[in-house]
């Protein structure tokens, strides 16, 4: 099934090191393949020459026992032929459901954002997911796992590389509330090698249907990093308001 999605963002939301994959999971009501692709290009010439393009690819396959999904995004910007932004993100995940409530997950992830001093970040991990569903749109998921992190950053005095292992603990819940749908996710990722190195993410989202194919989304997110990159704050809050149109 191919289902494009147009999102009009009114307040931008940045991408952070912890990636919330819960909204990428497909509902259990359809087996087989489902894919989508988005391409964007914005160009300006005259006194200032600006170019911006982005590419997004999403694909998944599933049945009652096995699920695999992945996505890729790339964003590039330049001003007067000088590159100002160049972000790459890729994630691949496999889920084996042993029972309706228990599943095992493995994943790979790659990120690159040199303008945020991130030369690369590669993750390889696995874990166990527990899920309880009361209704089709009311559920809670809890995950316990770990991943190996290989990262290379520019700390201002040169490149710095690190290899470490982190625990990956998360809870995700969804429930209807009147005409809206509420989603909440909390991630906690302490380092096994250094207990003072901790990352956490909390996200709350409300989705309100405006029409049969149009939703108004409001999202609030807070991120905490006990050892952020140089020049970044430990605690960050962000809000996003968007309109999503399915066609």
């Amino acid at each position: 099934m191919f289902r494009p999605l147009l999102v009009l963002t009114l307040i931008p939301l940045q991408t952070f090191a912890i990636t919330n994959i819960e909204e990428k999971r497909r509902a259990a009501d359809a087996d087989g393949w489902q894919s989508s692709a988005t391409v964007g290009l914005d160009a300006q010439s005259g006194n200032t020459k600006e170019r911006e393009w982005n590419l997004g690819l999403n694909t998944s396959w599933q049945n009652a026992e096995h699920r695999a999904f992945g996505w890729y995004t790339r964003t590039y910007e330049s001003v007067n032929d000088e590159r100002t932004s160049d972000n790459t993100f890729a994630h691949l995940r496999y889920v084996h459901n042993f029972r309706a409530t228990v599943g095992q997950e493995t994943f790979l992830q790659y990120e690159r954002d040199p303008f945020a001093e991130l030369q690369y970040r590669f993750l390889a991990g696995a874990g166990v997911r527990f899920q309880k569903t009361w209704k089709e749109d009311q559920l809670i998921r809890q995950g316990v796992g770990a991943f190996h992190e290989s990262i290379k950053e520019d700390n201002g005095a040169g490149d710095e590389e690190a290899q470490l292992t982190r625990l990956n603990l998360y809870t995700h819940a969804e429930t209807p509330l009147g005409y809206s749908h509420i989603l909440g996710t909390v991630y906690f990722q302490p380092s096994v090698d250094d207990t003072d190195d901790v990352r956490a993410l909390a996200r709350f989202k409300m989705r309100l249907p405006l029409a049969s194919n149009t939703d108004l989304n409001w999202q609030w997110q807070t991120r905490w990093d006990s050892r952020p990159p140089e020049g970044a704050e430990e605690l960050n809050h962000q809000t996003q308001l968007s309109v999503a149109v399915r066609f």
Side-chain angles (χ1 to χ4, degrees):
M1 177 181 179
F2 183 81
R3 196 180 201 186
L5 180 68
L6 173 64
V7 179
L8 307 177
T9 304
L10 305 181
I11 303 176
L13 182 71
Q14 297 178 0
T15 301
F16 296 110
I18 297 181
T19 304
N20 183 8
I21 60 93
E22 294 307 307
E23 295 179 18
K24 296 291 184 179
R25 298 183 190 271
R26 284 174 58 190
D29 58 355
D31 291 345
W33 287 99
Q34 178 175 300
S35 301
S36 66
T38 58
V39 178
L41 175 63
D42 187 4
Q44 175 181 317
S45 60
N47 294 330
T48 302
K49 180 182 178 182
E50 296 184 8
R51 298 289 185 271
E52 178 182 351
W53 63 265
N54 58 77
L55 172 67
L57 302 173
N58 294 268
T59 188
S60 64
W61 179 90
Q62 69 181 30
N63 60 21
E65 186 178 355
H66 303 280
R67 298 186 180 191
F69 60 94
W71 68 95
Y72 170 86
T73 59
R74 175 78 189 279
T75 302
Y76 180 90
E77 297 178 8
S78 66
V79 177
N80 295 328
D81 295 324
E82 183 177 348
R83 185 179 60 164
T84 57
S85 180
D86 190 355
N87 306 329
T88 303
F89 177 86
H91 186 100
L92 182 64
R93 182 170 294 248
Y94 167 72
V95 182
H96 180 197
N97 293 317
F98 297 101
R99 293 189 296 273
T101 57
V102 182
Q104 184 270 332
E105 300 183 309
T106 56
F107 69 89
L108 300 173
Q109 181 172 304
Y110 173 82
E111 300 170 72
R112 184 175 183 272
D113 188 356
F115 286 86
E117 318 303 340
L118 180 63
Q119 300 303 318
Y120 67 79
R121 181 172 182 255
F122 178 76
L123 310 181
V128 178
R129 176 176 59 90
F130 306 92
Q131 176 173 303
K132 173 64 176 178
T133 302
W134 290 273
K135 299 179 181 179
E136 182 181 351
D137 54 359
Q138 189 176 39
L139 60 86
I140 186 169
R141 299 190 187 108
Q142 292 183 298
V144 179
F147 61 87
H148 178 76
E149 179 180 40
S150 177
I151 187 169
K152 182 177 182 180
E153 296 178 303
D154 185 354
N155 61 7
D159 291 340
E160 180 178 344
E161 298 184 58
Q163 305 280 337
L164 67 156
T165 301
R166 291 185 181 275
L167 297 179
N168 186 32
L169 313 173
Y170 68 86
T171 298
H172 174 80
E174 301 181 21
T175 185
L177 181 63
Y179 292 103
S180 65
H181 195 70
I182 306 299
L183 303 90
T185 308
V186 176
Y187 280 86
F188 185 67
Q189 296 179 344
S191 171
V192 176
D193 310 283
D194 185 351
T195 55
D196 292 331
D197 185 357
V198 180
R199 293 174 182 164
L201 173 74
R203 177 179 292 180
F204 174 84
K205 181 176 182 179
M206 181 174 66
R207 183 170 62 237
L208 179 65
L210 300 179
S212 59
N213 65 338
T214 306
D215 296 329
L216 176 65
N217 299 313
W218 177 80
Q219 180 173 284
W220 174 84
Q221 175 176 284
T222 184
R223 176 187 66 89
W224 178 58
D225 188 345
S226 64
R227 293 184 178 176
E230 186 173 348
E233 298 291 335
E234 289 187 2
L235 188 64
N236 289 273
H237 306 288
Q238 296 215 309
T239 304
Q240 181 191 60
L241 185 65
S242 64
V243 177
V245 181
R246 298 177 297 278
F247 59 94

PDB file of all heavy atoms in Angstrom, residues 26-58:
ATOM      1  N   ARG A  26       3.804   0.199  12.220  1.00  0.00           N
ATOM      2  CA  ARG A  26       2.508   0.066  11.560  1.00  0.00           C
ATOM      3  C   ARG A  26       1.500  -0.600  12.489  1.00  0.00           C
ATOM      4  O   ARG A  26       1.865  -1.377  13.368  1.00  0.00           O
ATOM      5  CB  ARG A  26       2.636  -0.774  10.290  1.00  0.00           C
ATOM      6  CG  ARG A  26       3.248  -0.061   9.115  1.00  0.00           C
ATOM      7  CD  ARG A  26       3.456  -1.013   7.967  1.00  0.00           C
ATOM      8  NE  ARG A  26       2.229  -1.654   7.538  1.00  0.00           N
ATOM      9  CZ  ARG A  26       2.180  -2.669   6.678  1.00  0.00           C
ATOM     10  NH1 ARG A  26       3.299  -3.147   6.162  1.00  0.00           N
ATOM     11  NH2 ARG A  26       1.033  -3.191   6.325  1.00  0.00           N
ATOM     12  N   ALA A  27       0.237  -0.308  12.254  1.00  0.00           N
ATOM     13  CA  ALA A  27      -0.824  -1.006  12.977  1.00  0.00           C
ATOM     14  C   ALA A  27      -0.857  -2.463  12.531  1.00  0.00           C
ATOM     15  O   ALA A  27      -0.383  -2.825  11.448  1.00  0.00           O
ATOM     16  CB  ALA A  27      -2.170  -0.340  12.706  1.00  0.00           C
ATOM     17  N   ALA A  28      -1.420  -3.307  13.376  1.00  0.00           N
ATOM     18  CA  ALA A  28      -1.416  -4.749  13.095  1.00  0.00           C
ATOM     19  C   ALA A  28      -2.545  -5.190  12.170  1.00  0.00           C
ATOM     20  O   ALA A  28      -2.774  -6.374  11.998  1.00  0.00           O
ATOM     21  CB  ALA A  28      -1.508  -5.509  14.405  1.00  0.00           C
ATOM     22  N   ASP A  29      -3.262  -4.248  11.570  1.00  0.00           N
ATOM     23  CA  ASP A  29      -4.437  -4.608  10.782  1.00  0.00           C
ATOM     24  C   ASP A  29      -4.145  -4.889   9.319  1.00  0.00           C
ATOM     25  O   ASP A  29      -5.055  -5.191   8.554  1.00  0.00           O
ATOM     26  CB  ASP A  29      -5.497  -3.503  10.881  1.00  0.00           C
ATOM     27  CG  ASP A  29      -4.958  -2.155  10.412  1.00  0.00           C
ATOM     28  OD1 ASP A  29      -3.754  -2.077  10.114  1.00  0.00           O
ATOM     29  OD2 ASP A  29      -5.743  -1.206  10.349  1.00  0.00           O
ATOM     30  N   ALA A  30      -2.896  -4.800   8.886  1.00  0.00           N
ATOM     31  CA  ALA A  30      -2.581  -5.017   7.468  1.00  0.00           C
ATOM     32  C   ALA A  30      -1.241  -5.727   7.338  1.00  0.00           C
ATOM     33  O   ALA A  30      -0.242  -5.289   7.901  1.00  0.00           O
ATOM     34  CB  ALA A  30      -2.549  -3.688   6.716  1.00  0.00           C
ATOM     35  N   ASP A  31      -1.213  -6.844   6.573  1.00  0.00           N
ATOM     36  CA  ASP A  31       0.020  -7.576   6.321  1.00  0.00           C
ATOM     37  C   ASP A  31       0.602  -7.164   4.975  1.00  0.00           C
ATOM     38  O   ASP A  31      -0.038  -6.502   4.163  1.00  0.00           O
ATOM     39  CB  ASP A  31      -0.251  -9.081   6.320  1.00  0.00           C
ATOM     40  CG  ASP A  31      -0.600  -9.601   7.710  1.00  0.00           C
ATOM     41  OD1 ASP A  31      -0.355  -8.864   8.679  1.00  0.00           O
ATOM     42  OD2 ASP A  31      -1.125 -10.724   7.803  1.00  0.00           O
ATOM     43  N   GLY A  32       1.850  -7.596   4.742  1.00  0.00           N
ATOM     44  CA  GLY A  32       2.499  -7.314   3.469  1.00  0.00           C
ATOM     45  C   GLY A  32       3.300  -6.026   3.495  1.00  0.00           C
ATOM     46  O   GLY A  32       3.667  -5.508   4.547  1.00  0.00           O
ATOM     47  N   TRP A  33       3.566  -5.505   2.298  1.00  0.00           N
ATOM     48  CA  TRP A  33       4.416  -4.326   2.144  1.00  0.00           C
ATOM     49  C   TRP A  33       3.608  -3.038   2.247  1.00  0.00           C
ATOM     50  O   TRP A  33       2.450  -2.970   1.846  1.00  0.00           O
ATOM     51  CB  TRP A  33       5.113  -4.348   0.790  1.00  0.00           C
ATOM     52  CG  TRP A  33       6.210  -5.350   0.679  1.00  0.00           C
ATOM     53  CD1 TRP A  33       6.144  -6.597   0.113  1.00  0.00           C
ATOM     54  CD2 TRP A  33       7.550  -5.193   1.149  1.00  0.00           C
ATOM     55  NE1 TRP A  33       7.354  -7.224   0.214  1.00  0.00           N
ATOM     56  CE2 TRP A  33       8.240  -6.401   0.829  1.00  0.00           C
ATOM     57  CE3 TRP A  33       8.239  -4.169   1.803  1.00  0.00           C
ATOM     58  CZ2 TRP A  33       9.579  -6.584   1.148  1.00  0.00           C
ATOM     59  CZ3 TRP A  33       9.564  -4.357   2.115  1.00  0.00           C
ATOM     60  CH2 TRP A  33      10.223  -5.558   1.792  1.00  0.00           C
ATOM     61  N   GLN A  34       4.261  -2.011   2.761  1.00  0.00           N
ATOM     62  CA  GLN A  34       3.729  -0.650   2.738  1.00  0.00           C
ATOM     63  C   GLN A  34       4.910   0.306   2.653  1.00  0.00           C
ATOM     64  O   GLN A  34       5.837   0.230   3.466  1.00  0.00           O
ATOM     65  CB  GLN A  34       2.898  -0.351   3.985  1.00  0.00           C
ATOM     66  CG  GLN A  34       2.361   1.081   4.031  1.00  0.00           C
ATOM     67  CD  GLN A  34       1.445   1.300   5.204  1.00  0.00           C
ATOM     68  OE1 GLN A  34       0.418   0.649   5.347  1.00  0.00           O
ATOM     69  NE2 GLN A  34       1.806   2.230   6.075  1.00  0.00           N
ATOM     70  N   SER A  35       4.901   1.191   1.684  1.00  0.00           N
ATOM     71  CA  SER A  35       6.039   2.086   1.462  1.00  0.00           C
ATOM     72  C   SER A  35       5.555   3.486   1.117  1.00  0.00           C
ATOM     73  O   SER A  35       4.430   3.682   0.657  1.00  0.00           O
ATOM     74  CB  SER A  35       6.929   1.563   0.319  1.00  0.00           C
ATOM     75  OG  SER A  35       7.418   0.274   0.591  1.00  0.00           O
ATOM     76  N   SER A  36       6.424   4.451   1.330  1.00  0.00           N
ATOM     77  CA  SER A  36       6.138   5.833   0.949  1.00  0.00           C
ATOM     78  C   SER A  36       7.457   6.538   0.671  1.00  0.00           C
ATOM     79  O   SER A  36       8.516   6.143   1.165  1.00  0.00           O
ATOM     80  CB  SER A  36       5.351   6.568   2.035  1.00  0.00           C
ATOM     81  OG  SER A  36       6.139   6.709   3.198  1.00  0.00           O
ATOM     82  N   ALA A  37       7.385   7.590  -0.125  1.00  0.00           N
ATOM     83  CA  ALA A  37       8.567   8.381  -0.466  1.00  0.00           C
ATOM     84  C   ALA A  37       8.170   9.840  -0.567  1.00  0.00           C
ATOM     85  O   ALA A  37       7.082  10.166  -1.059  1.00  0.00           O
ATOM     86  CB  ALA A  37       9.174   7.905  -1.782  1.00  0.00           C
ATOM     87  N   THR A  38       9.036  10.722  -0.089  1.00  0.00           N
ATOM     88  CA  THR A  38       8.807  12.157  -0.200  1.00  0.00           C
ATOM     89  C   THR A  38      10.071  12.818  -0.739  1.00  0.00           C
ATOM     90  O   THR A  38      11.189  12.464  -0.343  1.00  0.00           O
ATOM     91  CB  THR A  38       8.449  12.786   1.157  1.00  0.00           C
ATOM     92  OG1 THR A  38       9.509  12.533   2.090  1.00  0.00           O
ATOM     93  CG2 THR A  38       7.152  12.212   1.701  1.00  0.00           C
ATOM     94  N   VAL A  39       9.890  13.769  -1.642  1.00  0.00           N
ATOM     95  CA  VAL A  39      11.003  14.518  -2.211  1.00  0.00           C
ATOM     96  C   VAL A  39      10.628  15.991  -2.200  1.00  0.00           C
ATOM     97  O   VAL A  39       9.512  16.356  -2.603  1.00  0.00           O
ATOM     98  CB  VAL A  39      11.318  14.074  -3.654  1.00  0.00           C
ATOM     99  CG1 VAL A  39      12.456  14.908  -4.226  1.00  0.00           C
ATOM    100  CG2 VAL A  39      11.680  12.599  -3.696  1.00  0.00           C
ATOM    101  N   GLY A  40      11.512  16.836  -1.733  1.00  0.00           N
ATOM    102  CA  GLY A  40      11.252  18.267  -1.701  1.00  0.00           C
ATOM    103  C   GLY A  40      12.421  19.057  -2.260  1.00  0.00           C
ATOM    104  O   GLY A  40      13.584  18.680  -2.094  1.00  0.00           O
ATOM    105  N   LEU A  41      12.119  20.152  -2.964  1.00  0.00           N
ATOM    106  CA  LEU A  41      13.142  21.015  -3.541  1.00  0.00           C
ATOM    107  C   LEU A  41      12.690  22.457  -3.410  1.00  0.00           C
ATOM    108  O   LEU A  41      11.570  22.809  -3.795  1.00  0.00           O
ATOM    109  CB  LEU A  41      13.387  20.674  -5.010  1.00  0.00           C
ATOM    110  CG  LEU A  41      14.361  21.580  -5.766  1.00  0.00           C
ATOM    111  CD1 LEU A  41      15.754  21.501  -5.152  1.00  0.00           C
ATOM    112  CD2 LEU A  41      14.400  21.218  -7.248  1.00  0.00           C
ATOM    113  N   ASP A  42      13.557  23.299  -2.870  1.00  0.00           N
ATOM    114  CA  ASP A  42      13.272  24.718  -2.706  1.00  0.00           C
ATOM    115  C   ASP A  42      14.474  25.486  -3.249  1.00  0.00           C
ATOM    116  O   ASP A  42      15.601  25.287  -2.771  1.00  0.00           O
ATOM    117  CB  ASP A  42      13.035  25.042  -1.231  1.00  0.00           C
ATOM    118  CG  ASP A  42      12.566  26.470  -1.022  1.00  0.00           C
ATOM    119  OD1 ASP A  42      12.358  27.171  -2.024  1.00  0.00           O
ATOM    120  OD2 ASP A  42      12.425  26.885   0.144  1.00  0.00           O
ATOM    121  N   ALA A  43      14.245  26.330  -4.251  1.00  0.00           N
ATOM    122  CA  ALA A  43      15.339  27.069  -4.885  1.00  0.00           C
ATOM    123  C   ALA A  43      15.003  28.547  -4.964  1.00  0.00           C
ATOM    124  O   ALA A  43      13.849  28.930  -5.181  1.00  0.00           O
ATOM    125  CB  ALA A  43      15.611  26.516  -6.275  1.00  0.00           C
ATOM    126  N   GLN A  44      16.038  29.395  -4.788  1.00  0.00           N
ATOM    127  CA  GLN A  44      15.873  30.838  -4.863  1.00  0.00           C
ATOM    128  C   GLN A  44      17.111  31.424  -5.540  1.00  0.00           C
ATOM    129  O   GLN A  44      18.241  31.014  -5.275  1.00  0.00           O
ATOM    130  CB  GLN A  44      15.711  31.433  -3.462  1.00  0.00           C
ATOM    131  CG  GLN A  44      15.653  32.949  -3.424  1.00  0.00           C
ATOM    132  CD  GLN A  44      15.528  33.479  -2.010  1.00  0.00           C
ATOM    133  OE1 GLN A  44      14.766  32.962  -1.205  1.00  0.00           O
ATOM    134  NE2 GLN A  44      16.290  34.524  -1.706  1.00  0.00           N
ATOM    135  N   SER A  45      16.899  32.374  -6.431  1.00  0.00           N
ATOM    136  CA  SER A  45      18.021  33.031  -7.114  1.00  0.00           C
ATOM    137  C   SER A  45      17.794  34.538  -7.101  1.00  0.00           C
ATOM    138  O   SER A  45      16.709  35.026  -6.769  1.00  0.00           O
ATOM    139  CB  SER A  45      18.146  32.527  -8.553  1.00  0.00           C
ATOM    140  OG  SER A  45      16.969  32.790  -9.292  1.00  0.00           O
ATOM    141  N   GLY A  46      18.829  35.286  -7.455  1.00  0.00           N
ATOM    142  CA  GLY A  46      18.770  36.743  -7.397  1.00  0.00           C
ATOM    143  C   GLY A  46      19.921  37.254  -6.563  1.00  0.00           C
ATOM    144  O   GLY A  46      21.079  36.869  -6.771  1.00  0.00           O
ATOM    145  N   ASN A  47      19.618  38.152  -5.616  1.00  0.00           N
ATOM    146  CA  ASN A  47      20.676  38.663  -4.748  1.00  0.00           C
ATOM    147  C   ASN A  47      21.332  37.551  -3.937  1.00  0.00           C
ATOM    148  O   ASN A  47      22.532  37.585  -3.672  1.00  0.00           O
ATOM    149  CB  ASN A  47      20.114  39.721  -3.793  1.00  0.00           C
ATOM    150  CG  ASN A  47      19.646  40.955  -4.529  1.00  0.00           C
ATOM    151  OD1 ASN A  47      20.189  41.288  -5.589  1.00  0.00           O
ATOM    152  ND2 ASN A  47      18.640  41.627  -3.986  1.00  0.00           N
ATOM    153  N   THR A  48      20.523  36.551  -3.537  1.00  0.00           N
ATOM    154  CA  THR A  48      21.024  35.400  -2.799  1.00  0.00           C
ATOM    155  C   THR A  48      20.575  34.132  -3.492  1.00  0.00           C
ATOM    156  O   THR A  48      19.403  33.978  -3.814  1.00  0.00           O
ATOM    157  CB  THR A  48      20.501  35.394  -1.351  1.00  0.00           C
ATOM    158  OG1 THR A  48      20.887  36.616  -0.709  1.00  0.00           O
ATOM    159  CG2 THR A  48      21.068  34.206  -0.576  1.00  0.00           C
ATOM    160  N   LYS A  49      21.509  33.238  -3.709  1.00  0.00           N
ATOM    161  CA  LYS A  49      21.206  31.956  -4.342  1.00  0.00           C
ATOM    162  C   LYS A  49      21.092  30.889  -3.252  1.00  0.00           C
ATOM    163  O   LYS A  49      22.066  30.608  -2.560  1.00  0.00           O
ATOM    164  CB  LYS A  49      22.306  31.588  -5.334  1.00  0.00           C
ATOM    165  CG  LYS A  49      22.077  30.257  -6.041  1.00  0.00           C
ATOM    166  CD  LYS A  49      23.230  29.945  -6.976  1.00  0.00           C
ATOM    167  CE  LYS A  49      23.040  28.587  -7.645  1.00  0.00           C
ATOM    168  NZ  LYS A  49      24.195  28.263  -8.526  1.00  0.00           N
ATOM    169  N   GLU A  50      19.901  30.348  -3.103  1.00  0.00           N
ATOM    170  CA  GLU A  50      19.666  29.344  -2.073  1.00  0.00           C
ATOM    171  C   GLU A  50      19.111  28.076  -2.699  1.00  0.00           C
ATOM    172  O   GLU A  50      18.285  28.132  -3.610  1.00  0.00           O
ATOM    173  CB  GLU A  50      18.689  29.865  -1.009  1.00  0.00           C
ATOM    174  CG  GLU A  50      19.194  31.053  -0.228  1.00  0.00           C
ATOM    175  CD  GLU A  50      18.230  31.478   0.873  1.00  0.00           C
ATOM    176  OE1 GLU A  50      17.255  30.735   1.092  1.00  0.00           O
ATOM    177  OE2 GLU A  50      18.450  32.535   1.491  1.00  0.00           O
ATOM    178  N   ARG A  51      19.575  26.945  -2.190  1.00  0.00           N
ATOM    179  CA  ARG A  51      19.091  25.648  -2.639  1.00  0.00           C
ATOM    180  C   ARG A  51      18.838  24.775  -1.412  1.00  0.00           C
ATOM    181  O   ARG A  51      19.657  24.717  -0.499  1.00  0.00           O
ATOM    182  CB  ARG A  51      20.123  24.945  -3.548  1.00  0.00           C
ATOM    183  CG  ARG A  51      20.435  25.692  -4.842  1.00  0.00           C
ATOM    184  CD  ARG A  51      19.261  25.630  -5.797  1.00  0.00           C
ATOM    185  NE  ARG A  51      19.587  26.226  -7.079  1.00  0.00           N
ATOM    186  CZ  ARG A  51      19.432  27.515  -7.380  1.00  0.00           C
ATOM    187  NH1 ARG A  51      18.949  28.332  -6.455  1.00  0.00           N
ATOM    188  NH2 ARG A  51      19.751  27.975  -8.563  1.00  0.00           N
ATOM    189  N   GLU A  52      17.705  24.120  -1.398  1.00  0.00           N
ATOM    190  CA  GLU A  52      17.383  23.178  -0.332  1.00  0.00           C
ATOM    191  C   GLU A  52      16.624  22.000  -0.921  1.00  0.00           C
ATOM    192  O   GLU A  52      15.658  22.181  -1.657  1.00  0.00           O
ATOM    193  CB  GLU A  52      16.529  23.836   0.753  1.00  0.00           C
ATOM    194  CG  GLU A  52      16.114  22.882   1.868  1.00  0.00           C
ATOM    195  CD  GLU A  52      15.240  23.530   2.912  1.00  0.00           C
ATOM    196  OE1 GLU A  52      15.093  24.776   2.876  1.00  0.00           O
ATOM    197  OE2 GLU A  52      14.681  22.798   3.758  1.00  0.00           O
ATOM    198  N   TRP A  53      17.086  20.794  -0.616  1.00  0.00           N
ATOM    199  CA  TRP A  53      16.352  19.606  -1.061  1.00  0.00           C
ATOM    200  C   TRP A  53      16.362  18.565   0.052  1.00  0.00           C
ATOM    201  O   TRP A  53      17.261  18.531   0.883  1.00  0.00           O
ATOM    202  CB  TRP A  53      16.906  19.042  -2.369  1.00  0.00           C
ATOM    203  CG  TRP A  53      18.321  18.540  -2.320  1.00  0.00           C
ATOM    204  CD1 TRP A  53      19.456  19.218  -2.647  1.00  0.00           C
ATOM    205  CD2 TRP A  53      18.757  17.229  -1.947  1.00  0.00           C
ATOM    206  NE1 TRP A  53      20.562  18.438  -2.492  1.00  0.00           N
ATOM    207  CE2 TRP A  53      20.170  17.204  -2.078  1.00  0.00           C
ATOM    208  CE3 TRP A  53      18.099  16.077  -1.531  1.00  0.00           C
ATOM    209  CZ2 TRP A  53      20.914  16.060  -1.779  1.00  0.00           C
ATOM    210  CZ3 TRP A  53      18.846  14.945  -1.231  1.00  0.00           C
ATOM    211  CH2 TRP A  53      20.233  14.949  -1.367  1.00  0.00           C
ATOM    212  N   ASN A  54      15.322  17.746   0.060  1.00  0.00           N
ATOM    213  CA  ASN A  54      15.243  16.686   1.048  1.00  0.00           C
ATOM    214  C   ASN A  54      14.611  15.456   0.430  1.00  0.00           C
ATOM    215  O   ASN A  54      13.806  15.544  -0.504  1.00  0.00           O
ATOM    216  CB  ASN A  54      14.466  17.140   2.284  1.00  0.00           C
ATOM    217  CG  ASN A  54      13.065  17.602   1.943  1.00  0.00           C
ATOM    218  OD1 ASN A  54      12.163  16.790   1.710  1.00  0.00           O
ATOM    219  ND2 ASN A  54      12.865  18.915   1.900  1.00  0.00           N
ATOM    220  N   LEU A  55      14.998  14.320   0.969  1.00  0.00           N
ATOM    221  CA  LEU A  55      14.520  13.029   0.484  1.00  0.00           C
ATOM    222  C   LEU A  55      14.148  12.178   1.686  1.00  0.00           C
ATOM    223  O   LEU A  55      14.894  12.102   2.663  1.00  0.00           O
ATOM    224  CB  LEU A  55      15.611  12.330  -0.339  1.00  0.00           C
ATOM    225  CG  LEU A  55      15.340  10.880  -0.762  1.00  0.00           C
ATOM    226  CD1 LEU A  55      14.188  10.818  -1.757  1.00  0.00           C
ATOM    227  CD2 LEU A  55      16.599  10.259  -1.348  1.00  0.00           C
ATOM    228  N   GLY A  56      12.983  11.538   1.627  1.00  0.00           N
ATOM    229  CA  GLY A  56      12.553  10.642   2.685  1.00  0.00           C
ATOM    230  C   GLY A  56      11.996   9.355   2.118  1.00  0.00           C
ATOM    231  O   GLY A  56      11.156   9.381   1.209  1.00  0.00           O
ATOM    232  N   LEU A  57      12.470   8.220   2.607  1.00  0.00           N
ATOM    233  CA  LEU A  57      12.019   6.909   2.155  1.00  0.00           C
ATOM    234  C   LEU A  57      11.606   6.086   3.367  1.00  0.00           C
ATOM    235  O   LEU A  57      12.346   6.008   4.347  1.00  0.00           O
ATOM    236  CB  LEU A  57      13.131   6.181   1.394  1.00  0.00           C
ATOM    237  CG  LEU A  57      13.706   6.881   0.164  1.00  0.00           C
ATOM    238  CD1 LEU A  57      14.909   6.106  -0.368  1.00  0.00           C
ATOM    239  CD2 LEU A  57      12.651   7.005  -0.927  1.00  0.00           C
ATOM    240  N   ASN A  58      10.423   5.482   3.307  1.00  0.00           N
ATOM    241  CA  ASN A  58       9.932   4.615   4.375  1.00  0.00           C
ATOM    242  C   ASN A  58       9.390   3.326   3.759  1.00  0.00           C
ATOM    243  O   ASN A  58       8.650   3.375   2.774  1.00  0.00           O
ATOM    244  CB  ASN A  58       8.809   5.294   5.161  1.00  0.00           C
ATOM    245  CG  ASN A  58       9.285   6.510   5.923  1.00  0.00           C
ATOM    246  OD1 ASN A  58       9.653   6.414   7.076  1.00  0.00           O
ATOM    247  ND2 ASN A  58       9.260   7.661   5.278  1.00  0.00           N
TER     248      ASN A  58
END
